[in-house]
């Protein structure tokens, strides 16, 4: 195995672009692994931890570091040439015209932008993100910070500054937003409408907004807060500002909140603010009890699916009745009986392989009372932590997008390689009964995830025949997404995947099959 390290001095690209480039290089002939990242101390630490480099190279944070591993020197050189072509920028057009130099600062960008610009999207290394955010806020801009690894003390400073001026700071580590109909980062093509959504989780926002779109309703705004916003230290400042903005937005008829349960004192402030908005509200604090949320005009959802469908009911009729009680529905019972009969003897355990962290979290909550010994790399509730992340035992539900699995490699929504390998591994285990997974579409995601998954699943069925485990999945997406949702669904069905309309339904089907098979 040979390793090539190459520095591109004073070259910046955001992390999504670099993850996509890493994925493309890793698929080139003769290449075993590739990682393109800004050469910050934190990123170099991850490369060392992942085994891509043995010693810390001398680097500057504004350099881009490319690490490529392969067997032959020629393949490494070809991969480097591919990267150089990807980074090259023409200084002039083919007809002799001179292209405008890309802006080097927020100030330069504002000079080039229209007078209506009111949002800055920041995706710098985390150590510099807060400073750039503060520059934008001082110019009266709302801010979305895609960057992670921003110190908590800096997040508090910029959010207090913004909150006092009724400006939004979405993030840090905000992966999803839809502002005035424009999808930002990992987001889907969703029709405009009357439902405003505020969420502390990226895939949670995606699930809710996609399901709303699928009903024919639409979203006024989808505002991400970042995962630390509802902590005691930060105090929910972004969510509070977002509630105020949606309260004053005439296009928003109902407010939906989606997150894990906030700190108790923060939850009290959030619920008080949404009650004071005067607009109908639906709150989904995943894992929270109904009694802790419902009342005084606030409707409570227990699943992401409920958050979407109950919001649609509220905006259409003023009354919400939908609950995710799929296991009681005749159509699911019929599917359950049919599928349970196909399970080979000895196949008795669930293996969940999620790319979305919130989907994994929701599945663990829904399964914790029915699957004994449930394990995860990101345990919650009654689930316990896996002893070995690379070998599943018993019932296991994993978030493959967690840092445990993404150090030095792209997120599985961008590059499905790790999940494809894990599917083959879990299917080969004679005790695996069901492989449960999500397929996330939209901007930022892989351009054909079903096309990557189907051949691996076909190989499992070809090798094991009727002794193969069952594959259950849900697609998080819309008709407008660039991947063609209908085509993705058809590809998966042809591969023998049993599709459900939501994560909650997929979990319910899985749960029912395991119960029926156990007898």
């Amino acid at each position: 195995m040979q390793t090539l390290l190459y520095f591109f001095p004073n070259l910046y690209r955001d992390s999504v672009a670099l993850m996509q480039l890493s994925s493309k290089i890793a698929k080139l002939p003769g290449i075993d692994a590739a990682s393109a990242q800004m050469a910050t101390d934190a990123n170099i630490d991850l490369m060392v931890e992942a085994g891509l480099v043995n010693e810390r190279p001398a680097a500057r944070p504004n350099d881009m570091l490319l690490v490529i591993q392969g067997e032959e020197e020629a393949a490494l050189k070809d991969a480097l040439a591919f990267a150089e072509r990807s980074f090259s920028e023409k200084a002039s057009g083919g007809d002799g015209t001179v292209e405008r130099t890309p802006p080097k600062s927020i100030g330069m960008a504002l000079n080039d932008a229209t007078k209506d610009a009111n949002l800055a999207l920041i995706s710098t290394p985390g150590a510099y993100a807060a400073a750039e955010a503060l520059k934008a806020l001082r110019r009266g801009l709302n801010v979305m910070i895609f960057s992670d690894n921003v110190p908590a003390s800096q997040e508090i400073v910029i959010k207090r500054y913004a909150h006092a001026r009724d400006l939004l700071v979405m993030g840090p580590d905000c992966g999803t937003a839809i502002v005035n109909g424009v999808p930002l980062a990992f987001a889907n093509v969703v029709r405009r409408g009357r439902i405003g959504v505020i969420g502390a989780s990226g895939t949670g926002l995606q699930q809710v907004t996609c399901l709303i779109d699928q009903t024919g309703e639409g979203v006024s705004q989808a505002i991400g807060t970042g995962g630390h916003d509802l902590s005691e230290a930060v105090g929910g400042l972004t969510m509070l500002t977002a509630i105020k903005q949606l309260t004053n937005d005439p296009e928003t008829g109902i407010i939906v909140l989606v997150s894990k349960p906030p700190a108790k004192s923060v939850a009290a402030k959030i619920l008080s603010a949404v009650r004071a908005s005067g607009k109908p509200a639906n709150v989904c604090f995943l894992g929270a009890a109904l009694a802790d949320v419902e009342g005084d005009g606030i409707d409570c959802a227990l699943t992401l699916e409920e958050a979407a469908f109950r919001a649609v009911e509220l905006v259409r009729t003023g009354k919400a009745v939908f609950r995710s009680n799929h296991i009681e529905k005749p159509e699911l019972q019929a599917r359950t009986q049919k599928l349970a009969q196909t399970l080979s003897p000895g196949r008795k355990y669930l293996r969940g392989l999620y790319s979305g962290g919130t989907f994994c979290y929701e599945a663990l909550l829904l399964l914790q009372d029915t699957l004994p010994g449930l394990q995860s790399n990101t345990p919650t509730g009654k689930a316990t932590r896996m002893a070995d992340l690379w070998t599943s035992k018993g019932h296991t539900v994993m978030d493959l997008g967690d840092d445990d699995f993404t150090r030095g490699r792209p997120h599985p929504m961008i590059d499905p390689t790790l999940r494809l390998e894990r599917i083959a591994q879990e299917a080969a285990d004679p005790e695996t009964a069901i492989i449960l997974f999500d397929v996330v579409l939209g901007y930022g995601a892989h351009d054909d995830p079903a096309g990557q998954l189907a051949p691996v699943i076909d190989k499992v069925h070809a090798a094991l025949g009727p002794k193969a485990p069952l594959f259950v999945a849900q697609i998080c997406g819309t008709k407008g997404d660039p991947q063609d949702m209908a085509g993705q669904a058809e590809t998966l069905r042809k591969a023998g995947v049993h599709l459900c309309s939501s994560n909650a339904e997929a979990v319910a089907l899985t749960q029912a099959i395991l119960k029926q098979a156990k007898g």
Side-chain angles (χ1 to χ4, degrees), residues 3 165 485:
T3 300
R165 292 159 179 79
M485 185 173 179

Side-chain angles (χ1 to χ4, degrees), residues 143-424:
V143 172
M144 178 177 178
I145 305 176
F146 186 79
S147 314
D148 58 4
N149 296 315
V150 177
S153 59
Q154 295 181 13
E155 177 176 353
I156 292 168
V157 168
I158 59 175
K159 287 196 169 182
R160 286 178 177 173
Y161 182 93
H163 183 68
R165 292 159 179 79
D166 291 331
L167 294 171
L168 282 172
V169 175
M170 294 181 281
D173 198 17
C174 179
T176 301
I178 304 172
V179 178
N180 293 335
V182 179
L184 300 173
F186 293 95
N188 303 84
V189 180
V190 175
R191 73 190 78 206
R192 299 295 299 277
R194 298 172 286 174
I195 302 173
V197 188
I198 309 168
S201 64
T203 46
L205 265 181
Q206 287 186 267
Q207 174 92 123
V208 173
T209 55
C210 286
L211 291 177
I212 288 171
D213 178 87
Q214 290 171 25
T215 69
E217 290 294 335
V219 173
S220 58
Q221 309 290 342
I223 300 171
T225 68
H228 304 296
D229 188 67
L230 299 179
S231 66
E232 191 84 45
V234 181
L237 293 176
T238 293
M239 187 165 281
L240 290 169
T241 302
I243 290 170
K244 183 175 181 180
Q245 291 197 3
L246 293 185
T247 298
N248 296 327
D249 176 21
E251 295 184 1
T252 299
I254 178 174
I255 298 173
V256 179
L257 307 182
V258 181
S259 77
K260 298 175 183 178
K264 189 173 181 179
S265 62
V266 177
K269 289 190 293 184
I270 296 297
L271 294 176
S272 177
V274 80
R275 286 189 188 100
S277 72
K279 294 186 175 182
N282 175 276
V283 175
C284 179
F285 290 159
L286 284 170
L290 280 171
D292 294 335
V293 177
E294 260 185 339
D296 296 330
I298 295 180
D299 179 64
C300 179
L302 299 176
T303 67
L304 299 170
E305 177 188 56
E306 286 184 10
F309 293 159
R310 290 176 74 86
V312 169
E313 289 175 334
L314 286 170
V315 83
R316 286 177 174 174
T317 69
K319 184 178 180 180
V321 297
F322 178 86
R323 289 295 179 196
S324 297
N325 55 346
H326 296 287
I327 205 163
E328 299 175 8
K329 297 177 180 178
E331 55 267 31
L332 187 131
Q333 292 175 3
R335 290 182 77 184
T336 296
Q337 189 159 0
K338 180 180 178 181
L339 293 174
Q341 292 173 353
T342 68
L343 277 178
S344 177
R347 289 194 175 274
K348 55 186 177 181
Y349 293 125
L350 166 66
R351 303 291 158 78
L353 303 176
Y354 282 101
S355 63
T358 306
F359 292 140
C360 179
Y361 182 86
E362 182 180 50
L364 289 169
L365 292 174
L366 294 173
L367 293 167
Q368 63 180 337
D369 291 324
T370 58
L371 296 187
L374 183 61
Q375 300 178 66
S376 177
N377 65 310
T378 56
T380 191
K382 298 177 183 178
T384 59
R385 184 166 181 82
M386 301 168 63
D388 179 0
L389 299 180
W390 303 101
T391 304
S392 302
K393 298 291 185 183
H395 297 297
T396 306
V397 177
M398 287 179 284
D399 172 13
L400 296 180
D402 187 72
D403 288 346
D404 288 333
F405 296 108
T406 57
R407 291 185 180 93
R409 69 170 74 219
H411 192 281
M413 286 198 295
I414 293 175
D415 181 357
T417 301
L418 176 62
R419 183 156 68 166
L420 299 180
E421 294 171 353
R422 195 68 181 238
I423 285 174

Side-chain angles (χ1 to χ4, degrees), residues 88-162:
S88 64
E89 296 180 353
K90 294 182 179 180
S92 62
D95 58 358
T97 60
V98 177
E99 293 184 352
R100 184 184 297 273
T101 301
K104 303 293 185 182
S105 68
I106 289 173
M108 288 179 65
L110 280 175
N111 290 335
D112 290 344
T114 67
K115 64 181 180 179
D116 296 326
N118 64 358
L119 174 69
L121 174 57
I122 295 173
S123 184
T124 67
Y128 311 99
E132 294 304 313
L134 196 56
K135 292 176 187 176
L137 291 168
R138 286 173 174 164
R139 288 176 174 266
L141 300 177
N142 298 285
V143 172
M144 178 177 178
I145 305 176
F146 186 79
S147 314
D148 58 4
N149 296 315
V150 177
S153 59
Q154 295 181 13
E155 177 176 353
I156 292 168
V157 168
I158 59 175
K159 287 196 169 182
R160 286 178 177 173
Y161 182 93

